[in-house]
């Protein structure tokens, strides 16, 4: 705010008299009302948030996101990975046909569908690219083109298997995005992500990231952070510093602490994020999401499904894909038979009293549905009831929004 306006605003707050503000500066008063800073006492703001979430997560028929796990096998065995890797796992031809039928059913039922996003997860989704991923893309992408439905697709991958031939196929069928992980700089990364004890993967993955960028694919480099990786993270800048500005626009660095990290390293990480930005790179901390109500987690949305290689259906991809946790099953007709776990998830939000009494609910959303499920019947806060942390979140979002 302009300092004079700020003084007017503060005086009105102290005296609890915003009508006087209207008399002094009606345009400013009107602006505060239009932007939601001044609200009538009888307005039920919590109900407004609930209605907004309901419209976005339950009623929006214009968008569908499908996540496919072609396999639960992986060519790496990272120490922190929460998934159970299954060597022999690979999507069968029968399941591939069921996925195609599922998309056909979706297109027949959802007449208002405008956008379709196809995500690839796993396991390592590029392991069986030619036999699982490509056949699905070849069937699904033309259907979206024919109906003039916006289509995007992307991989969460370790990046080791990317090649020019693969990128050419991806471009031909609407793929535009890769999320690729680095575990610190070269030495640290190679201790965690290696092909064999003698052969690391850092240099090959960095080369593949640059190859994808040069082919105009957006790449989000997820930097997994622990206390051991922090010191050398700035050295990663040197491996990308020679990119020209037109290439840099396709590259994002996203900083995430591994879930096993117990020490508070927030301040250290924020300093490194600032350093990346100073060097001209797009850098986000924890995948900065300005508004987790309007841009809620995919698993919160009715119009989302994660199809495992064996036809089991889940919502959240940040948990192990155990059969006992499945929320549905894809049958041979391409129909998902949802179970009670799905309904529990879709009705899990706004059951936590501390969230309903929190000033940042409209931008926090109480976390995601997975967190709500796992804390059922227990008061919780995704920010550990730390008011200073909440203020830092608001500050970080603001600084990111204007950066």
């Amino acid at each position: 705010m302009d300092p004079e306006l700020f003084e007017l605003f503060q005086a009105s707050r102290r005296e609890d008299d915003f009508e006087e503000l209207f008399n002094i500066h009606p345009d400013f008063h009107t602006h505060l009302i239009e932007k939601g800073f001044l609200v009538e006492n009888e307005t039920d703001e919590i109900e407004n948030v609930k209605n907004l979430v309901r419209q976005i997560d339950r009623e929006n028929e214009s968008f569908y996101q499908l996540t496919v796990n072609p396999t639960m096998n992986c060519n790496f065995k990272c120490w922190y990975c929460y998934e159970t890797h299954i060597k022999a796992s690979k999507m069968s031809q029968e399941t591939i046909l069921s996925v195609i039928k599922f998309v056909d059913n979706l297109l027949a039922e959802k007449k208002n569908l405008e956008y379709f996003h196809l995500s690839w997860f796993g396991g390592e989704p590029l392991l069986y690219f030619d036999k699982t991923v490509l056949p699905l893309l070849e069937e699904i992408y033309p259907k979206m083109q024919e109906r003039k439905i916006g289509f995007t697709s992307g991989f969460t991958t370790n990046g080791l298997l990317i090649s020019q031939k693969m990128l050419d196929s991806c471009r031909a069928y609407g793929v535009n995005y890769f999320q690729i992980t680095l575990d610190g700089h070269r030495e640290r990364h190679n201790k965690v992500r290696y092909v064999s004890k003698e052969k690391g993967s850092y240099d090959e993955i960095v080369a593949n990231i640059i190859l994808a960028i040069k082919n105009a694919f957006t790449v989000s480099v997820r930097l997994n952070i622990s206390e051991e990786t922090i010191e050398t993270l700035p050295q990663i800048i040197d491996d990308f510093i020679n990119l020209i500005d037109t290439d840099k626009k396709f590259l994002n660095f996203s900083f995430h602490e591994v879930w096993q990290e117990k020490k508070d390293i927030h301040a250290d990480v924020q300093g490194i994020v600032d350093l990346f930005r100073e060097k001209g790179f797009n850098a986000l901390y924890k995948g900065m999401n300005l508004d987790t109500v309007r841009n809620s987690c995919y698993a919160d949305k009715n119009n989302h499904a994660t199809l495992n290689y064996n036809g089991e259906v889940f919502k959240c991809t940040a948990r192990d894909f155990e059969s006992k946790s499945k929320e549905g099953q894809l049958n041979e007709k391409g129909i998902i038979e949802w179970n009670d776990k799905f309904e529990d998830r879709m009705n899990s939000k706004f059951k936590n009293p501390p969230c309903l009494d929190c000033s940042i609910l409209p931008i926090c959303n109480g976390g995601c549905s997975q967190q709500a499920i796992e804390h059922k019947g227990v008061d919780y806060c995704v920010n550990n009831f730390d008011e200073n942390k909440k203020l830092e979140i608001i500050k970080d979002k603001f600084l990111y929004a204007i950066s």
Side-chain angles (χ1 to χ4, degrees):
M1 286 187 196
D2 177 272
E4 291 182 6
L5 291 181
F6 182 67
E7 284 185 22
L8 281 175
F9 180 74
Q10 288 291 70
S12 299
R13 286 184 67 183
R14 284 193 298 268
E15 298 167 18
D16 196 21
D17 186 3
F18 285 99
E19 290 303 317
E20 182 62 21
L21 178 62
F22 176 76
N23 295 329
I24 298 171
H25 201 313
D27 288 345
F28 182 41
H29 184 271
T30 301
H31 180 78
L32 291 173
I33 290 175
E34 288 176 349
K35 297 300 181 182
F37 291 102
L38 289 183
V39 182
E40 295 289 346
N41 286 331
E42 57 269 21
T43 300
D44 190 337
E45 292 184 272
I46 292 176
E47 193 59 32
N48 288 348
V49 175
K50 288 181 178 179
N51 289 336
L52 184 59
V53 168
R54 192 178 300 116
Q55 292 166 16
I56 293 169
D57 291 348
R58 297 298 297 262
E59 299 170 5
N60 184 5
E61 293 287 326
S62 66
F63 180 87
Y64 198 96
Q65 178 169 341
L66 179 65
T67 302
V68 176
N69 299 337
T71 177
M72 288 308 297
N73 193 10
C74 186
N75 47 345
F76 290 158
K77 296 291 180 287
C78 306
W79 67 269
Y80 53 76
C81 187
Y82 54 83
E83 294 167 0
T84 302
H85 293 143
I86 306 170
K87 278 196 171 183
S89 62
K90 179 181 164 187
M91 187 170 279
S92 67
Q93 189 60 36
E94 290 75 19
T95 304
I96 289 174
L97 292 174
S98 294
V99 175
I100 295 168
K101 289 177 184 177
F102 171 78
V103 174
D104 288 338
N105 293 335
L106 196 70
L107 293 174
E109 293 167 7
K110 298 190 180 297
K111 303 299 183 183
N112 298 322
L113 187 65
E114 297 175 9
Y115 302 99
F116 184 89
H117 180 69
L118 179 57
S119 297
W120 303 93
F121 199 70
E124 171 48 54
L126 298 180
L127 268 180
Y128 307 113
F129 181 85
D130 290 334
K131 293 189 177 180
T132 54
V133 174
L134 195 53
L136 284 168
L137 283 171
E138 288 171 340
E139 286 287 337
I140 294 172
Y141 180 65
K143 297 176 191 293
M144 302 301 162
Q145 292 289 96
E146 181 184 341
R147 292 162 179 79
K148 294 181 170 56
I149 294 171
F151 179 86
T152 54
S153 184
F155 291 85
T156 299
T157 168
N158 58 44
L160 186 66
L161 301 177
I162 291 174
S163 66
Q164 185 61 56
K165 179 185 176 184
M166 185 180 290
L167 292 175
D168 291 341
S169 296
C170 285
R171 182 187 293 107
Y173 295 104
V175 176
N176 63 334
Y177 171 84
F178 292 91
Q179 177 181 295
I180 299 172
T181 301
L182 293 177
D183 279 285
H185 195 240
R186 182 179 292 102
E187 183 178 354
R188 172 64 185 177
H189 174 97
N190 286 342
K191 288 179 180 178
V192 178
R193 292 175 171 248
Y194 51 81
V195 179
S196 67
K197 293 287 185 181
E198 295 76 31
K199 182 176 171 56
S201 63
Y202 182 85
D203 291 318
E204 288 179 72
I205 291 173
V206 167
N208 287 343
I209 291 170
I210 293 173
L211 178 66
I213 291 167
K214 294 287 186 182
N215 279 268
F217 288 86
T218 296
V219 179
S220 178
V221 178
R222 178 184 172 116
L223 295 175
N224 281 342
I225 309 163
S226 61
E227 197 175 355
E228 292 82 3
T229 65
I230 283 184
E231 187 177 347
T232 60
L233 282 178
Q235 296 178 31
I236 294 173
I237 294 173
D238 297 334
D239 297 317
F240 295 93
I241 199 67
N242 291 327
L243 288 173
I244 60 176
D245 289 342
T246 51
D247 290 335
K248 282 184 179 178
K249 70 180 182 179
F250 291 105
L251 177 62
N252 301 296
F253 290 98
S254 184
F255 293 74
H256 297 259
E257 295 155 34
V258 297
W259 63 271
Q260 292 91 342
E261 179 61 52
K262 303 301 181 186
K263 184 179 178 180
D264 185 358
I265 54 177
H266 177 90
D268 295 327
V269 177
Q270 189 62 58
I272 295 171
V273 171
D274 293 341
L275 181 59
F276 271 73
R277 290 173 179 170
E278 288 170 12
K279 297 297 184 180
F281 294 103
N282 298 317
L284 314 174
Y285 188 14
K286 298 182 179 178
M288 182 63 72
N289 184 350
L290 292 177
D291 186 346
T292 50
V293 169
R294 290 173 180 82
N295 187 24
S296 56
C297 175
Y298 53 83
D300 293 359
K301 292 177 169 58
N302 192 57
N303 282 341
H304 165 266
T306 295
L307 304 180
N308 207 12
Y309 74 97
N310 56 5
E312 294 179 343
V313 186
F314 300 81
K315 296 286 285 181
C316 179
T317 59
R319 297 296 183 273
D320 206 345
F321 294 100
E322 296 182 352
S323 295
K324 66 180 181 181
S325 301
K326 71 176 182 180
E327 297 174 53
Q329 182 72 42
L330 180 69
N331 65 27
E332 68 279 359
K333 296 179 181 179
I335 297 170
I336 295 177
E337 299 168 343
W338 295 104
N339 60 33
D340 292 341
K341 288 186 174 67
F342 171 75
E343 288 302 323
D344 287 344
R345 177 184 296 278
M346 299 311 298
N347 293 300
S348 64
K349 302 298 282 291
F350 304 113
K351 303 285 178 67
N352 182 37
C355 286
L356 303 180
D357 196 37
C358 179
S359 61
I360 70 166
L361 174 66
I363 59 171
C364 171
N365 204 3
C368 65
S369 58
Q370 186 67 31
Q371 290 163 319
I373 291 168
E374 292 174 357
H375 291 91
K376 190 174 183 179
V378 178
D379 287 359
Y380 71 98
C381 172
V382 294
N383 298 302
N384 300 318
F385 299 100
D386 186 335
E387 295 303 316
N388 289 328
K389 185 175 181 181
K390 293 177 186 178
L391 288 173
E392 282 297 315
I393 288 170
I394 295 170
K395 178 183 174 183
D396 287 348
K397 288 177 183 287
F398 177 75
L399 291 175
Y400 173 67
I402 65 173
S403 67

